[in-house]
Amino acid sequence: MKCHVLTLFPEMMEQALKASILGKAQDKQLINLNFINIRDFSNNKYLKVDDYPYGGGAGMLMQAEPVYNAFKSINTEGSIKPRVVYLTPQGRTFNQHIAQEFAKEEELVLLCGHYEGIDERVLELIVTDYISIGDYVLTGGELAAMVVIDAISRLVPGVLHNDDSAEFESFTDGLLEYPHYTRPVEFMGKTVPDILLSGHHANIDKWRREKSIERTVERRPDLIEKADLSEKERKELNYDTIEF
Ligand code: 6GU
């Protein structure tokens, strides 16, 4: 997976993304991040890339030209045009489905805005997807782009140690994960559920499935309707007690 990131803060992103799993994934060339500093494409000697909005109003806007030229500087590897994702609170809300969709792409371009946004004309010319990471406002698209990169990268085969682990966890079947325990068996008087020590794998799977459903009902009842439950599991739910 190759990801081109258009940003005014490449150093901040590079620093954060070289830690831990994503750092290793880059070392192993499983993911390839190419940061393009939009400021390098400023058209003036002060390296300015923002200006006042026509029509007035608060704040500054990123100008179309540096963003367009930064985008044009990207050398894509494939012959097909990559999707260009603009991170904005005005986008579709990012979720695991969109992460899976993006993870299938060979190459992606992420565009991070700053100030009050970007001149609409360049967005119309280059953007294919408008993506938000939730209903709140950030100072820029960089943190959102890092969230998207993290979520996509861990779906790339080989990035996680265990090939299974991305598949079985929260959200793939629309349920939250069951609780996890590691050593010691007792901590502050709290013990690990006996069944997990039993070595009986079928029972353990059954217990985990029940806990997943229970936890989803308790913490994210809004997910239950769309969750991948068997007919039997759905029958056993007590709909009267779920607070949708
Ligand atoms: Cl993608 N960008 C900004 N600036 N704020 C956001 C966001 C994105 N998603 C949620 N809030």
Side-chain angles (χ1 to χ4, degrees), residues 86-89 113 131-141 144-145:
Y86 176 44
L87 286 311
T88 166
I131 294 289
S132 164
I133 62 162
D135 292 339
Y136 41 81
V137 183
L138 304 170
T139 56

Side-chain angles (χ1 to χ4, degrees), residues 34-209:
N34 172 33
F35 295 98
I36 300 115
N37 191 338
I38 296 167
R39 199 173 297 284
D40 292 343
F41 296 85
S42 163
N43 55 14
N44 60 78
K45 65 178 174 187
Y46 309 104
L47 304 184
K48 222 169 71 88
V49 292
D50 61 332
D51 210 331
Y52 297 97
Y54 279 118
M60 302 289 273
L61 288 176
M62 283 169 70
Q63 293 173 288
E65 187 178 300
V67 172
Y68 188 74
N69 289 336
F71 170 72
K72 280 292 169 190
S73 80
I74 296 172
N75 279 319
T76 54
E77 316 232 311
S79 49
I80 39 165
K81 286 188 181 165
R83 288 166 84 157
V84 179
V85 179
Y86 176 44
L87 286 311
T88 166
Q90 299 180 5
R92 281 193 284 162
T93 308
F94 190 62
N95 60 27
Q96 195 64 21
H97 286 289
I98 303 176
Q100 279 163 351
E101 201 183 294
F102 286 170
K104 286 188 215 141
E105 303 285 328
E106 231 162 275
E107 221 162 334
L108 272 183
V109 178
L110 300 182
L111 171 59
C112 305
H114 242 269
Y115 314 113
E116 292 304 305
I118 303 182
D119 187 306
E120 190 69 20
R121 292 165 295 181
V122 69
L123 301 177
E124 287 172 4
L125 286 169
I126 70 174
V127 172
T128 61
D129 296 84
Y130 292 82
I131 294 289
S132 164
I133 62 162
D135 292 339
Y136 41 81
V137 183
L138 304 170
T139 56
E142 283 77 13
L143 283 168
M146 289 193 276
V147 165
V148 169
I149 291 168
D150 188 293
I152 297 172
S153 298
R154 57 189 294 294
L155 297 175
V156 171
V159 169
L160 297 184
H161 287 303
N162 179 353
D163 253 4
D164 296 335
S165 52
E167 220 175 297
F168 282 104
E169 68 207 321
S170 287
F171 290 122
T172 307
D173 52 11
L175 293 170
L176 302 184
E177 268 198 275
Y178 49 80
H180 303 281
Y181 303 86
T182 185
R183 284 190 290 188
V185 159
E186 194 200 313
F187 176 69
M188 305 274 270
K190 291 164 145 324
T191 55
V192 174
D194 284 338
I195 195 156
L196 299 178
L197 311 175
S198 70
H200 194 306
H201 292 294
N203 285 351
I204 291 172
D205 286 349
K206 185 164 169 283
W207 180 87
R208 286 179 167 166
R209 179 78 184 170

